[in-house]
Amino acid sequence: MHPQKVRSPGVGPFVFSGARMATPTSRVARLRFLPLVAALGCATTSTPTAPVDARSAVAPAAPVTKEALAALKAELVAKHGEAQRARIERGVEQVASLWRAEDGDLAAFAREQFLPEGPLLDATFRRMEGLFEQFDGHMNELGRELQWFTDLDLGPLLPVEPLLAAYDPSSNVTSDLFQAKPGFVALLNFPLTTLEERVKAGPSWTRRQWAEAKLASRFNRRVPAAVDQQAAKAIAAANLYIAEYNVWMHHLVDAKGQRLFPKGLRLISHWNLRDELKADYTDAKGLAKQRMIVQVMERIVTQSIPAAVIDNPRVDWDPFTNAVTVAPPESVEANAPERPAKADAAPEPDTRYAKLLATFQASRRADPYSPVAPTRIARSFELERGLPEERVRALLTELLASPLVPRVAKLIESRLGRPLEPQDLWYPGFRPGAKVPEAQLDALTRKRYPTADAFARDIPRILQALGFTPEKANVLASYIRVDASRGAGHAQPALRRGDFPRLRTRVEPGGMDYKGYNIAVHELGHNVEQVFSLYQVDHTLLSGVPNNAFTEALAFVFQARDLELLGLGQPDAASERERVLNDFWQSWEIAGVALVDMATWHWMYEHPDATPAQLREAVAQVSRDVWNQYYAPVLGRKDSPLLGIYSHMISYPLYLPDYPLGHLIAFQIEEHLKKHGPLGAEFERMAIHGSVTPDEWMRHATGAPVSAESLLRATAAAL
């Protein structure tokens, strides 16, 4: 669910995807690292310099002339032999591209640190692989501790907590490793590869070659620690803002002053609002409730929501007229937070877009230091996702423009007995058990899981029900820790063997409701992938999966079975047909949301000096444009900004394209499982393949590259 640490924003919510990222460390960690410098034979162990100004526009140029580099390459070839020429020429160029004058004598460094193929190179590779596992793991644990109280539902926050959450202890690591020289050792001896090279040559690579490529890729750019820290601070602030963005539903009133929702119902935007909307299809007052939720969502996107009603049950709000009144004392919940009981209809002051803009500006400061991918957009697709933006856009539009969409819409319309409306974007009726009232599901899950610990104790049974052997289920469960989340929920991986991944979901005072349970099952899928892809991968440099879409896909495989795990609904031919249609409709829904996310980032790059108010107008217009092109012809009303509601857009930069990709990947996996089960063994086989390119992983997993073809073909057959 993303991002400064790989975590899943719940589901729909995020997880730090398995893709391992070279994350920068603190000065303490740097000083502890100095003995390794000697162990690796580095020529210099320079002390820290003054902090780099995060506002600096350009990175310092390499201080070595072409003639000097040519002479150095010739010297090294003469010393180590013609067989090493290609490695020498590539390695020297890689080092020179990021070397700075203050780094010292490049030639002396290369003479000492270039290693010909053989035992010494192998030993260095193993040493660095083991060390980076420890670095990543311990930095991840420190970050988890710093965000412990902002992530978890442990009561009111101390004033210091947002400051702690904004501090990234890893922000100096990469910078320090360049300064202390191990980063240059990696670049001198192991190949930096382009996405094109990995796609073309990857199928013939050994696992060691894949791991070497991942090792070098940690140092494909040299971003100052101050720049990384600013980005971490902006994202942490956005995460906290979203984590506390609740609407108290009992305090929504209609034109007659009626309260449609029960007392105590507190829903986070957007996850719980969307899930409540889905649940209302089985409610007698469901249509009125849904229309009200859509109105709330649209006011959040346009920032016309009164600031006074956010996480405030002491006022009532009519989202249609935008009128705010003081709530009668008897209507206020016993656990109501301290908030002003004041009838103030002043809108939220574009806070949503100020947070997004701060993340953009912080991300943009890294652009001059990232010649391999000079925008946050390019880094998101080329480096993190391993798929060109053009290919992702083509997959999304193939779904959105499919002639199957109106056919599925007609089927939904016939089931609802009315024309479709904007809320039907989230129609859940194809899911098994969709006709079960949510109140019944809530009662079931609250009884079974009164606490986060109760869910943790049930994990072995859940995993066995999913097809894992009893032995494997118990082992997996022993690695997973469950916490009650302040926000909607996420999965946080462990990044070193010996640590434990965390499952976070919301647990209300009365127990885990169905929304929390549904997210918990999704996050459990992430956690199981995280255990397999760390503890059983052959090279820890390859731990994880190709990108966040893949861990989302594996989590979707779990989540699709949540009702079965409650004893509601078993798969048969009819339910299989419904599953296909559900996957298609969900993929269609989130594909447009992803296009809005992508278009928003392009707009920000085109308007780098925009104000929050200008960004608000742009996001609303982009949302309307995508809506009018793909959704209004099916869902009726024009000009809805509804696609801009997803909270990921604010707190997880450019994460949303991973969801439609995840649905496509999950469908391909499900099609494979139907023919080659059981789920447990196949899930494990797939997860341990590691963070290679997306198509390489998919060919290993299912025999075919990433594609929309399987889903479209199966949907046509289901119709």
Side-chain angles (χ1 to χ4, degrees), residues 133-134 137-138 141 144 478-479 481 494-502 531 534-535 540:
E133 178 191 346
Q134 298 303 311
H138 287 296
E141 290 163 57
R144 184 173 67 215
S478 71
Y479 284 106
R481 303 293 183 266
L495 297 182
R496 68 171 182 88
R497 291 166 295 188
D499 189 24
F500 305 103
R502 317 293 301 204
V531 173
L534 173 63
Y535 280 87
T540 54

PDB file of all heavy atoms in Angstrom, residues 133-134 137-138 141 144 478-479 481 494-502 531 534-535 540:
ATOM      1  N   GLU A 133      22.427  -5.880   3.563  1.00  0.00           N
ATOM      2  CA  GLU A 133      21.250  -6.441   4.229  1.00  0.00           C
ATOM      3  C   GLU A 133      21.136  -5.874   5.647  1.00  0.00           C
ATOM      4  O   GLU A 133      20.042  -5.497   6.093  1.00  0.00           O
ATOM      5  CB  GLU A 133      21.338  -7.966   4.289  1.00  0.00           C
ATOM      6  CG  GLU A 133      20.154  -8.586   5.026  1.00  0.00           C
ATOM      7  CD  GLU A 133      20.341 -10.065   5.332  1.00  0.00           C
ATOM      8  OE1 GLU A 133      21.253 -10.701   4.753  1.00  0.00           O
ATOM      9  OE2 GLU A 133      19.568 -10.583   6.152  1.00  0.00           O
ATOM     10  N   GLN A 134      22.262  -5.806   6.339  1.00  0.00           N
ATOM     11  CA  GLN A 134      22.241  -5.272   7.695  1.00  0.00           C
ATOM     12  C   GLN A 134      21.910  -3.772   7.705  1.00  0.00           C
ATOM     13  O   GLN A 134      21.133  -3.298   8.535  1.00  0.00           O
ATOM     14  CB  GLN A 134      23.587  -5.524   8.383  1.00  0.00           C
ATOM     15  CG  GLN A 134      23.929  -6.994   8.549  1.00  0.00           C
ATOM     16  CD  GLN A 134      22.849  -7.734   9.326  1.00  0.00           C
ATOM     17  OE1 GLN A 134      22.402  -7.289  10.389  1.00  0.00           O
ATOM     18  NE2 GLN A 134      22.401  -8.863   8.795  1.00  0.00           N
ATOM     19  N   GLY A 137      18.222  -3.347   6.843  1.00  0.00           N
ATOM     20  CA  GLY A 137      17.379  -3.869   7.906  1.00  0.00           C
ATOM     21  C   GLY A 137      17.359  -2.978   9.127  1.00  0.00           C
ATOM     22  O   GLY A 137      16.294  -2.667   9.665  1.00  0.00           O
ATOM     23  N   HIS A 138      18.524  -2.557   9.572  1.00  0.00           N
ATOM     24  CA  HIS A 138      18.573  -1.758  10.795  1.00  0.00           C
ATOM     25  C   HIS A 138      18.043  -0.342  10.567  1.00  0.00           C
ATOM     26  O   HIS A 138      17.401   0.229  11.459  1.00  0.00           O
ATOM     27  CB  HIS A 138      19.993  -1.732  11.355  1.00  0.00           C
ATOM     28  CG  HIS A 138      20.409  -3.035  11.972  1.00  0.00           C
ATOM     29  ND1 HIS A 138      19.788  -3.550  13.085  1.00  0.00           N
ATOM     30  CD2 HIS A 138      21.358  -3.951  11.614  1.00  0.00           C
ATOM     31  CE1 HIS A 138      20.351  -4.714  13.405  1.00  0.00           C
ATOM     32  NE2 HIS A 138      21.299  -4.980  12.529  1.00  0.00           N
ATOM     33  N   GLU A 141      14.358  -0.658  10.732  1.00  0.00           N
ATOM     34  CA  GLU A 141      13.886  -0.802  12.110  1.00  0.00           C
ATOM     35  C   GLU A 141      13.906   0.533  12.852  1.00  0.00           C
ATOM     36  O   GLU A 141      12.972   0.853  13.611  1.00  0.00           O
ATOM     37  CB  GLU A 141      14.756  -1.833  12.845  1.00  0.00           C
ATOM     38  CG  GLU A 141      14.541  -3.260  12.346  1.00  0.00           C
ATOM     39  CD  GLU A 141      15.661  -4.189  12.766  1.00  0.00           C
ATOM     40  OE1 GLU A 141      15.906  -4.285  13.988  1.00  0.00           O
ATOM     41  OE2 GLU A 141      16.305  -4.801  11.890  1.00  0.00           O
ATOM     42  N   ARG A 144      11.017   2.516  11.660  1.00  0.00           N
ATOM     43  CA  ARG A 144       9.772   1.977  12.230  1.00  0.00           C
ATOM     44  C   ARG A 144       9.573   2.479  13.653  1.00  0.00           C
ATOM     45  O   ARG A 144       8.468   2.860  14.045  1.00  0.00           O
ATOM     46  CB  ARG A 144       9.827   0.454  12.198  1.00  0.00           C
ATOM     47  CG  ARG A 144       8.560  -0.236  12.661  1.00  0.00           C
ATOM     48  CD  ARG A 144       8.657  -1.725  12.417  1.00  0.00           C
ATOM     49  NE  ARG A 144       9.660  -2.351  13.255  1.00  0.00           N
ATOM     50  CZ  ARG A 144      10.427  -3.371  12.872  1.00  0.00           C
ATOM     51  NH1 ARG A 144      10.320  -3.870  11.657  1.00  0.00           N
ATOM     52  NH2 ARG A 144      11.306  -3.895  13.710  1.00  0.00           N
ATOM     53  N   SER A 478       5.012 -17.324  12.661  1.00  0.00           N
ATOM     54  CA  SER A 478       5.994 -16.977  13.693  1.00  0.00           C
ATOM     55  C   SER A 478       6.806 -15.736  13.326  1.00  0.00           C
ATOM     56  O   SER A 478       7.419 -15.112  14.189  1.00  0.00           O
ATOM     57  CB  SER A 478       6.939 -18.160  13.945  1.00  0.00           C
ATOM     58  OG  SER A 478       7.826 -18.350  12.853  1.00  0.00           O
ATOM     59  N   TYR A 479       6.810 -15.380  12.033  1.00  0.00           N
ATOM     60  CA  TYR A 479       7.582 -14.220  11.581  1.00  0.00           C
ATOM     61  C   TYR A 479       6.759 -12.928  11.560  1.00  0.00           C
ATOM     62  O   TYR A 479       7.321 -11.844  11.419  1.00  0.00           O
ATOM     63  CB  TYR A 479       8.116 -14.447  10.165  1.00  0.00           C
ATOM     64  CG  TYR A 479       9.301 -15.374  10.085  1.00  0.00           C
ATOM     65  CD1 TYR A 479       9.173 -16.667   9.596  1.00  0.00           C
ATOM     66  CD2 TYR A 479      10.566 -14.940  10.483  1.00  0.00           C
ATOM     67  CE1 TYR A 479      10.263 -17.522   9.511  1.00  0.00           C
ATOM     68  CE2 TYR A 479      11.665 -15.787  10.403  1.00  0.00           C
ATOM     69  CZ  TYR A 479      11.503 -17.074   9.911  1.00  0.00           C
ATOM     70  OH  TYR A 479      12.585 -17.909   9.830  1.00  0.00           O
ATOM     71  N   ARG A 481       4.155  -9.971  12.834  1.00  0.00           N
ATOM     72  CA  ARG A 481       3.651  -9.264  14.003  1.00  0.00           C
ATOM     73  C   ARG A 481       2.468  -8.393  13.585  1.00  0.00           C
ATOM     74  O   ARG A 481       2.507  -7.775  12.527  1.00  0.00           O
ATOM     75  CB  ARG A 481       4.752  -8.391  14.619  1.00  0.00           C
ATOM     76  CG  ARG A 481       6.008  -9.171  15.010  1.00  0.00           C
ATOM     77  CD  ARG A 481       5.737 -10.127  16.170  1.00  0.00           C
ATOM     78  NE  ARG A 481       6.931 -10.834  16.599  1.00  0.00           N
ATOM     79  CZ  ARG A 481       7.299 -12.035  16.169  1.00  0.00           C
ATOM     80  NH1 ARG A 481       6.560 -12.666  15.254  1.00  0.00           N
ATOM     81  NH2 ARG A 481       8.397 -12.612  16.635  1.00  0.00           N
ATOM     82  N   ALA A 494      10.231  -6.578   6.834  1.00  0.00           N
ATOM     83  CA  ALA A 494      11.566  -6.625   7.420  1.00  0.00           C
ATOM     84  C   ALA A 494      12.546  -6.578   6.254  1.00  0.00           C
ATOM     85  O   ALA A 494      12.260  -7.103   5.177  1.00  0.00           O
ATOM     86  CB  ALA A 494      11.756  -7.902   8.222  1.00  0.00           C
ATOM     87  N   LEU A 495      13.699  -5.963   6.455  1.00  0.00           N
ATOM     88  CA  LEU A 495      14.693  -5.881   5.386  1.00  0.00           C
ATOM     89  C   LEU A 495      15.992  -6.599   5.743  1.00  0.00           C
ATOM     90  O   LEU A 495      16.968  -6.491   5.017  1.00  0.00           O
ATOM     91  CB  LEU A 495      14.967  -4.415   5.031  1.00  0.00           C
ATOM     92  CG  LEU A 495      13.772  -3.633   4.466  1.00  0.00           C
ATOM     93  CD1 LEU A 495      14.184  -2.212   4.097  1.00  0.00           C
ATOM     94  CD2 LEU A 495      13.168  -4.331   3.263  1.00  0.00           C
ATOM     95  N   ARG A 496      15.983  -7.297   6.874  1.00  0.00           N
ATOM     96  CA  ARG A 496      17.129  -8.155   7.192  1.00  0.00           C
ATOM     97  C   ARG A 496      16.590  -9.394   7.879  1.00  0.00           C
ATOM     98  O   ARG A 496      15.573  -9.355   8.590  1.00  0.00           O
ATOM     99  CB  ARG A 496      18.141  -7.450   8.100  1.00  0.00           C
ATOM    100  CG  ARG A 496      17.625  -7.179   9.492  1.00  0.00           C
ATOM    101  CD  ARG A 496      18.701  -6.683  10.446  1.00  0.00           C
ATOM    102  NE  ARG A 496      18.120  -6.491  11.769  1.00  0.00           N
ATOM    103  CZ  ARG A 496      18.030  -7.448  12.699  1.00  0.00           C
ATOM    104  NH1 ARG A 496      18.504  -8.668  12.443  1.00  0.00           N
ATOM    105  NH2 ARG A 496      17.475  -7.202  13.872  1.00  0.00           N
ATOM    106  N   ARG A 497      17.269 -10.495   7.659  1.00  0.00           N
ATOM    107  CA  ARG A 497      16.864 -11.732   8.324  1.00  0.00           C
ATOM    108  C   ARG A 497      17.153 -11.605   9.816  1.00  0.00           C
ATOM    109  O   ARG A 497      18.229 -11.192  10.207  1.00  0.00           O
ATOM    110  CB  ARG A 497      17.621 -12.912   7.704  1.00  0.00           C
ATOM    111  CG  ARG A 497      17.171 -13.211   6.274  1.00  0.00           C
ATOM    112  CD  ARG A 497      18.118 -14.117   5.536  1.00  0.00           C
ATOM    113  NE  ARG A 497      19.409 -13.468   5.333  1.00  0.00           N
ATOM    114  CZ  ARG A 497      20.379 -13.961   4.577  1.00  0.00           C
ATOM    115  NH1 ARG A 497      20.210 -15.111   3.946  1.00  0.00           N
ATOM    116  NH2 ARG A 497      21.517 -13.319   4.452  1.00  0.00           N
ATOM    117  N   GLY A 498      16.150 -11.920  10.618  1.00  0.00           N
ATOM    118  CA  GLY A 498      16.231 -11.713  12.051  1.00  0.00           C
ATOM    119  C   GLY A 498      15.221 -10.693  12.531  1.00  0.00           C
ATOM    120  O   GLY A 498      14.913 -10.620  13.723  1.00  0.00           O
ATOM    121  N   ASP A 499      14.679  -9.903  11.596  1.00  0.00           N
ATOM    122  CA  ASP A 499      13.626  -8.948  11.930  1.00  0.00           C
ATOM    123  C   ASP A 499      12.290  -9.525  11.449  1.00  0.00           C
ATOM    124  O   ASP A 499      12.258 -10.554  10.762  1.00  0.00           O
ATOM    125  CB  ASP A 499      13.906  -7.605  11.270  1.00  0.00           C
ATOM    126  CG  ASP A 499      12.969  -6.499  11.740  1.00  0.00           C
ATOM    127  OD1 ASP A 499      12.425  -6.624  12.857  1.00  0.00           O
ATOM    128  OD2 ASP A 499      12.775  -5.528  10.993  1.00  0.00           O
ATOM    129  N   PHE A 500      11.191  -8.858  11.795  1.00  0.00           N
ATOM    130  CA  PHE A 500       9.863  -9.397  11.518  1.00  0.00           C
ATOM    131  C   PHE A 500       9.004  -8.372  10.788  1.00  0.00           C
ATOM    132  O   PHE A 500       8.933  -7.207  11.205  1.00  0.00           O
ATOM    133  CB  PHE A 500       9.165  -9.786  12.829  1.00  0.00           C
ATOM    134  CG  PHE A 500       9.970 -10.729  13.664  1.00  0.00           C
ATOM    135  CD1 PHE A 500      10.660 -10.268  14.778  1.00  0.00           C
ATOM    136  CD2 PHE A 500      10.059 -12.068  13.336  1.00  0.00           C
ATOM    137  CE1 PHE A 500      11.422 -11.128  15.548  1.00  0.00           C
ATOM    138  CE2 PHE A 500      10.822 -12.939  14.106  1.00  0.00           C
ATOM    139  CZ  PHE A 500      11.507 -12.472  15.211  1.00  0.00           C
ATOM    140  N   PRO A 501       8.331  -8.771   9.717  1.00  0.00           N
ATOM    141  CA  PRO A 501       7.396  -7.857   9.059  1.00  0.00           C
ATOM    142  C   PRO A 501       6.198  -7.573   9.951  1.00  0.00           C
ATOM    143  O   PRO A 501       5.819  -8.389  10.788  1.00  0.00           O
ATOM    144  CB  PRO A 501       6.983  -8.613   7.790  1.00  0.00           C
ATOM    145  CG  PRO A 501       7.252 -10.041   8.071  1.00  0.00           C
ATOM    146  CD  PRO A 501       8.393 -10.080   9.037  1.00  0.00           C
ATOM    147  N   ARG A 502       5.598  -6.386   9.763  1.00  0.00           N
ATOM    148  CA  ARG A 502       4.488  -5.952  10.595  1.00  0.00           C
ATOM    149  C   ARG A 502       3.221  -5.842   9.756  1.00  0.00           C
ATOM    150  O   ARG A 502       3.226  -5.283   8.665  1.00  0.00           O
ATOM    151  CB  ARG A 502       4.765  -4.583  11.235  1.00  0.00           C
ATOM    152  CG  ARG A 502       6.147  -4.373  11.786  1.00  0.00           C
ATOM    153  CD  ARG A 502       6.483  -5.215  12.984  1.00  0.00           C
ATOM    154  NE  ARG A 502       5.617  -5.036  14.123  1.00  0.00           N
ATOM    155  CZ  ARG A 502       5.988  -5.304  15.378  1.00  0.00           C
ATOM    156  NH1 ARG A 502       7.234  -5.729  15.630  1.00  0.00           N
ATOM    157  NH2 ARG A 502       5.139  -5.163  16.379  1.00  0.00           N
ATOM    158  N   VAL A 531       8.106 -12.452   3.904  1.00  0.00           N
ATOM    159  CA  VAL A 531       8.865 -13.501   4.591  1.00  0.00           C
ATOM    160  C   VAL A 531       9.577 -14.375   3.566  1.00  0.00           C
ATOM    161  O   VAL A 531      10.788 -14.629   3.662  1.00  0.00           O
ATOM    162  CB  VAL A 531       7.947 -14.353   5.481  1.00  0.00           C
ATOM    163  CG1 VAL A 531       8.720 -15.549   6.048  1.00  0.00           C
ATOM    164  CG2 VAL A 531       7.378 -13.521   6.629  1.00  0.00           C
ATOM    165  N   LEU A 534      12.461 -12.580   1.535  1.00  0.00           N
ATOM    166  CA  LEU A 534      13.658 -12.230   2.304  1.00  0.00           C
ATOM    167  C   LEU A 534      14.372 -13.472   2.805  1.00  0.00           C
ATOM    168  O   LEU A 534      15.575 -13.638   2.600  1.00  0.00           O
ATOM    169  CB  LEU A 534      13.292 -11.336   3.485  1.00  0.00           C
ATOM    170  CG  LEU A 534      14.432 -11.028   4.475  1.00  0.00           C
ATOM    171  CD1 LEU A 534      15.557 -10.258   3.787  1.00  0.00           C
ATOM    172  CD2 LEU A 534      13.916 -10.245   5.682  1.00  0.00           C
ATOM    173  N   TYR A 535      13.637 -14.366   3.435  1.00  0.00           N
ATOM    174  CA  TYR A 535      14.267 -15.491   4.123  1.00  0.00           C
ATOM    175  C   TYR A 535      14.637 -16.646   3.191  1.00  0.00           C
ATOM    176  O   TYR A 535      15.481 -17.470   3.543  1.00  0.00           O
ATOM    177  CB  TYR A 535      13.362 -15.992   5.252  1.00  0.00           C
ATOM    178  CG  TYR A 535      13.455 -15.146   6.491  1.00  0.00           C
ATOM    179  CD1 TYR A 535      12.666 -14.022   6.647  1.00  0.00           C
ATOM    180  CD2 TYR A 535      14.353 -15.445   7.510  1.00  0.00           C
ATOM    181  CE1 TYR A 535      12.757 -13.223   7.776  1.00  0.00           C
ATOM    182  CE2 TYR A 535      14.451 -14.660   8.647  1.00  0.00           C
ATOM    183  CZ  TYR A 535      13.651 -13.553   8.769  1.00  0.00           C
ATOM    184  OH  TYR A 535      13.750 -12.763   9.892  1.00  0.00           O
ATOM    185  N   THR A 540      20.310 -11.927  -1.037  1.00  0.00           N
ATOM    186  CA  THR A 540      19.501 -10.915  -0.351  1.00  0.00           C
ATOM    187  C   THR A 540      19.467  -9.599  -1.119  1.00  0.00           C
ATOM    188  O   THR A 540      18.566  -8.784  -0.910  1.00  0.00           O
ATOM    189  CB  THR A 540      20.010 -10.657   1.073  1.00  0.00           C
ATOM    190  OG1 THR A 540      21.409 -10.319   1.030  1.00  0.00           O
ATOM    191  CG2 THR A 540      19.818 -11.888   1.940  1.00  0.00           C
TER     192      THR A 540
END
